[in-house]
Amino acid sequence: GVDWQPLWNAVNFVAKGPSSPTFAYDLPFMFDMPVMNDYYLFIDLLLATDNHGKNIFFAIYDKTSRYGNKITIAPWDLDGTWGARWDGSYKYTSDATRDLDAFLWECEHGQHTLHYWLQQNAFNNWQATLAQRYAQLRQTYWQTEQLTDRFAAYAELFAKSHADEREEDRWPSLHSGIQDAVNYVLDWIPNRIAALDAKYGSPSTWVASNKWISDNPDVAQRFLDALLEAAIYRYDPIQES
């Protein structure tokens, strides 16, 4: 049968939240925090309004490994992203500068409880951790051109193969104007990136100077600890397999 104990433990852990005196200590052993952080940034980038509390897979990697019960997360059903709602409308999400959390509380059912606890408690400097990770992603996969070029390339492929026309002919009430939708996304992405740059820090603020490190030793140490923890975690299963 299915062993639900790791998921039950995780749900119970999050339900208790910071009321537990060991919450901050236990958190990185209960969840794969680098992945949980990436997931939050991911749904923030996409303004994924339907993937914060549902349309999610929770899983564990390998129960026989050192951190076998640690929970990881992955998205599912990403149709409400990139400035569109799950039903294909743009009424609430066309503004690419909308704050994800404000949107979720105003228009949805609130933020995922784990992310809510991380935002409301200063014990782990979560915002600083997100800003550091965002800086890394912005220099690689999340460069504006990297994102827009992918949409443009697929749109061109659809046009050349006439796949967009076949799709529109088959589902006229659902998939009309595919190329127009791509143009909408191409306009939406730069505005979203600009909003997130303002939220997490512009490129000019990403290089941590020696002065910043000396002024913020606890944040710098936590960042290094997180990198070490992630490296150990991903190395262990290889050693034990």
Side-chain angles (χ1 to χ4, degrees):
V2 177
D3 182 3
W4 296 105
Q5 193 65 46
L7 183 60
W8 188 95
N9 291 340
V11 171
N12 189 53
F13 173 80
V14 172
K16 292 180 179 178
S19 63
S20 169
T22 61
F23 181 81
Y25 175 82
D26 293 336
L27 182 64
F29 297 98
M30 186 69 66
F31 291 92
D32 187 347
M33 287 309 299
V35 175
M36 298 300 294
N37 295 337
D38 279 0
Y39 186 85
Y40 178 84
L41 290 172
F42 177 72
I43 63 174
D44 202 359
L45 171 68
L46 275 61
L47 193 57
T49 59
D50 206 28
N51 299 88
H52 59 290
K54 61 186 179 75
N55 293 328
I56 294 169
F57 288 112
F58 288 106
I60 59 176
Y61 296 103
D62 181 358
K63 281 190 63 102
T64 64
S65 68
R66 180 179 177 184
Y67 300 117
N69 290 323
K70 186 178 289 193
I71 298 291
T72 189
I73 189 172
W76 173 72
D77 193 16
L78 290 166
D79 49 3
T81 57
W82 301 113
R85 295 276 279 155
W86 61 268
D87 59 0
S89 65
Y90 303 114
K91 179 179 179 181
Y92 297 106
T93 50
S94 60
D95 180 3
T97 67
R98 292 203 69 164
D99 179 75
L100 172 67
D101 294 284
F103 181 93
L104 294 179
W105 288 108
E106 292 170 10
C107 304
E108 293 290 341
H109 311 292
Q111 182 54 275
H112 188 280
T113 304
L114 177 59
H115 289 147
Y116 174 77
W117 290 137
L118 291 170
Q119 291 169 333
Q120 297 300 312
N121 295 271
F123 55 76
N124 61 353
N125 280 295
W126 192 53
Q127 291 300 325
T129 300
L130 293 179
Q132 290 278 0
R133 180 58 174 155
Y134 179 78
Q136 295 174 335
L137 293 168
R138 278 287 281 121
Q139 297 177 70
T140 53
Y141 303 108
W142 288 8
Q143 293 182 34
T144 305
E145 294 75 16
Q146 287 262 38
L147 299 171
T148 55
D149 286 354
R150 174 168 291 195
F151 278 94
Y154 278 113
E156 182 179 4
L157 179 61
F158 289 169
K160 288 182 177 179
S161 65
H162 300 285
D164 51 355
E165 296 176 6
R166 293 192 296 273
E167 185 77 4
E168 292 168 5
D169 290 342
R170 180 63 182 85
W171 309 102
S173 64
L174 299 175
H175 291 177
S176 61
I178 291 177
Q179 294 298 329
D180 290 338
V182 171
N183 290 331
Y184 167 83
V185 174
L186 294 180
D187 289 335
W188 190 89
I189 287 175
N191 293 324
R192 187 64 184 165
I193 288 293
L196 295 186
D197 284 351
K199 178 178 180 178
Y200 294 110
S202 63
S204 62
T205 67
W206 289 343
V207 178
S209 64
N210 290 332
K211 182 179 185 305
W212 183 92
I213 294 174
S214 64
D215 291 343
N216 302 272
D218 55 333
V219 178
Q221 186 59 54
R222 266 188 286 273
F223 179 64
L224 293 174
D225 290 346
L227 291 177
L228 179 60
E229 174 71 19
I232 293 174
Y233 174 70
R234 286 166 174 77
Y235 180 71
D236 276 348
I238 297 176
Q239 288 290 89
E240 297 171 8
S241 60

